[in-house]
Amino acid sequence: MFSDQQYLTTDQYRDSSKLDARIELHRRFSTNPQGWFAWVWDALDELPRQARVLELGCGAGSLWTACPERIPSGWSITLSDLSNGMLDAAWRNLVVIGRGFKFEQIDAQSVPYPDETFDAVIANHMLYHVPDRKKALSEIKRVLKTDGRFFAATNGEQHIKEINAWLTRAMIKGDLTKPSQPFLLENGLSQLQEFFSNVELSRYDNNLCVTEVEPIMAYIRSGIRAVEFSEAELAKIEKELRQQLASDGEIFITTDAGLFLAKK
């Protein structure tokens, strides 16, 4: 389901509500006070003050709403997503900034721009949703200028391992489907090196210390695998979380995210 474009556009990312629930858990309970989007901006700050920038899979535009003051006035920015619902959410969130963002529905496997158009392409936690990733990476390389940069964020194998453990213990019948996320911190380098000669990985130092059960349940219910669980199984998870919170005073969740910087 991770790369089923029909499901992704009509269910998971039909609008921004499910993604918003997952972002909110990180926003409220991350141990790193800098925040994910501000950390990504530290890498983007290296780009020229005059640049053409394309984001693939922009979602609700959170990268840009998080740090609007860091957007150079000389950037020409195209925000794209496969889902029209997400583009609508991005437009609504960004129209108040007063910048001339361009919004387009784009499949990363077929980018409708000429060769060497952009100074930078951004793919923030989306490449694992692309069915033919090699085709997408080829397209990204094609539309980048000779000295262009590609920023690709993803998670590692240990990301939210506690949530996966709760899901596994709660399943009454059958086995929990292992998510297929074939673009991870552990294997992304080799995939990118097929197309880019210079690739570096930076990891974001962060975990979650959660003091409320409801945001975790909202996160779980928003996930792709939520459909595998009955209300009884979800109630079992909630009961375990409440017991852990009462015992420990907080619920610890491992996060493992990072950013690949590839230069053409």
Side-chain angles (χ1 to χ4, degrees), residues 13 26 32 36 47 95 100 112 130 149 162 185 197 206 210 213 220:
Y13 298 114
H26 289 269
N32 189 327
W36 167 258
L47 292 173
V95 67
V130 179
R149 300 185 183 190
E162 291 82 6
L185 296 179
S197 58
N206 186 54
V210 188
V213 169
I220 290 172

Side-chain angles (χ1 to χ4, degrees), residues 198-212:
N198 188 334
V199 184
E200 299 176 356
L201 169 62
S202 298
R203 266 187 157 92
Y204 179 57
D205 183 15
N206 186 54
N207 290 295
L208 304 179
C209 288
V210 188
T211 55
E212 298 174 23

Side-chain angles (χ1 to χ4, degrees), residues 169-185:
R169 288 195 293 271
M171 183 160 275
I172 297 171
K173 294 181 180 179
D175 296 320
L176 181 66
T177 301
K178 187 175 181 180
S180 175
Q181 289 186 314
F183 185 82
L184 297 166
L185 296 179

Side-chain angles (χ1 to χ4, degrees), residues 70-117:
R70 296 179 71 171
I71 306 173
S73 60
W75 281 14
S76 172
I77 305 166
T78 300
L79 303 186
S80 72
D81 204 285
L82 190 63
S83 163
N84 277 324
M86 297 304 285
L87 285 174
D88 180 68
W91 179 84
R92 292 177 185 275
N93 288 335
L94 290 167
V95 67
V96 296
I97 292 179
R99 286 294 307 273
F101 293 99
K102 184 179 181 182
F103 299 88
E104 284 194 65
Q105 184 183 32
I106 293 177
D107 184 338
Q109 299 166 120
S110 181
V111 182
Y113 280 93
D115 296 357
E116 302 199 3
T117 298

